[in-house]
Amino acid sequence: MSTDLILHNIGKYINLTAEEKEYFVSLLQEKTLKRKEFLLEDGQICKYSAFTVSGVLRGYTIDDNGFEHVLSFAPEGWWMADMYSLISQKPGTLNIEAIEKTELLLLSKANQEVLFGKVPKFERFFRIITENSLVSYQQRLMDNLSLTAEERYNNFCKRYPTLINTLPKKDIATYIGVTPEFLSRMQSKLLKRR
């Protein structure tokens, strides 16, 4: 599995020497998930940050009534973890599942700590992506409280442009907080306007 994508992703935020790149790559584990296979299930402790090399992950919870609530997607070039569980090392509530065959590079919590000691600039990298994630979740929460379904759909399209035509409609609908039927009607209406 190529590490070019993950090194490019990191290179947007920090500059690494050839030795630092080699050391970082040595700490990664490769994993391939089949469609509908879980990386993490509700109640498990998150031990890894996952970077998507190819495919798509979805992170979701299931409420007491059995309804799924999709919180995020990780297409190619994105990171995903149950942040609460990863940081606290307590059982989490997030399910992380492959929507299609997905190739991942995993960095364990233990290796991340070792990495911080040996290459301190990685602390900056993970702080930046954690801050970006926090900003994104806060914005999403505010959007869900104040925007119309159409506005939330438009924001989804901007955030995940590569997924609009590849994700199951039910996942998009759940992410923006509508039924699949409502999403289909809304998409038809938007197409007629264009």
Side-chain angles (χ1 to χ4, degrees):
M1 191 179 302
S2 172
T3 56
D4 292 348
L5 187 60
I6 196 169
L7 291 172
H8 176 74
N9 176 268
I10 290 165
K12 292 178 196 172
Y13 304 101
I14 58 173
N15 293 317
L16 297 174
T17 66
E19 295 80 25
E20 289 167 339
K21 288 178 185 177
E22 192 176 312
Y23 180 68
F24 171 69
V25 167
S26 76
L27 298 176
L28 300 173
Q29 289 175 245
E30 296 180 359
K31 184 162 186 77
T32 301
L33 298 177
K34 293 183 234 137
R35 182 178 177 274
K36 294 201 167 278
E37 188 177 351
F38 286 91
L39 177 66
L40 183 73
E41 292 185 72
D42 178 7
Q44 294 179 331
I45 295 174
C46 184
K47 296 183 180 349
Y48 300 96
S49 294
F51 180 83
T52 306
V53 176
S54 67
V56 184
L57 294 174
R58 75 179 181 127
Y60 67 95
T61 60
I62 300 175
D63 68 21
D64 292 341
N65 296 319
F67 293 110
E68 286 184 8
H69 300 279
V70 177
L71 302 178
S72 59
F73 298 99
E76 183 179 302
W78 288 51
W79 291 85
M80 184 177 279
D82 181 326
M83 293 303 291
Y84 164 78
S85 180
L86 185 70
I87 292 167
S88 70
Q89 286 298 284
K90 293 180 180 169
T93 57
L94 197 64
N95 295 288
I96 300 178
E97 177 188 35
I99 291 179
E100 59 193 35
K101 180 183 173 193
T102 303
E103 294 183 335
L104 303 168
L105 291 170
L106 304 177
L107 179 64
S108 71
K109 170 84 169 151
N111 281 347
Q112 187 176 353
E113 293 301 325
V114 170
L115 181 64
F116 291 167
K118 295 231 176 164
V119 188
K121 59 181 99 169
F122 269 100
E123 285 192 275
R124 180 173 189 274
F125 171 74
F126 281 101
R127 176 183 53 79
I128 290 168
I129 64 169
T130 301
E131 287 172 351
N132 289 345
S133 175
L134 180 61
V135 167
S136 174
Y137 276 119
Q138 181 176 326
Q139 187 61 56
R140 177 139 186 264
L141 178 61
M142 298 306 294
D143 289 354
N144 285 349
L145 294 172
S146 60
L147 298 182
T148 66
E150 188 175 313
E151 290 168 327
R152 291 194 308 271
Y153 176 72
N154 288 333
N155 284 350
F156 171 86
C157 293
K158 286 178 196 148
R159 182 163 174 75
Y160 299 109
T162 61
L163 300 183
I164 299 161
N165 298 317
T166 58
L167 282 180
K169 280 209 189 309
K170 77 170 186 62
D171 286 335
I172 297 172
T174 303
Y175 181 87
I176 65 170
V178 298
T179 64
E181 297 76 21
F182 184 88
L183 175 64
S184 290
R185 286 194 306 272
M186 186 172 62
Q187 286 175 321
S188 295
K189 195 169 85 174
L190 289 171
L191 279 173
K192 285 177 189 168
R193 274 197 228 151
R194 291 183 182 146

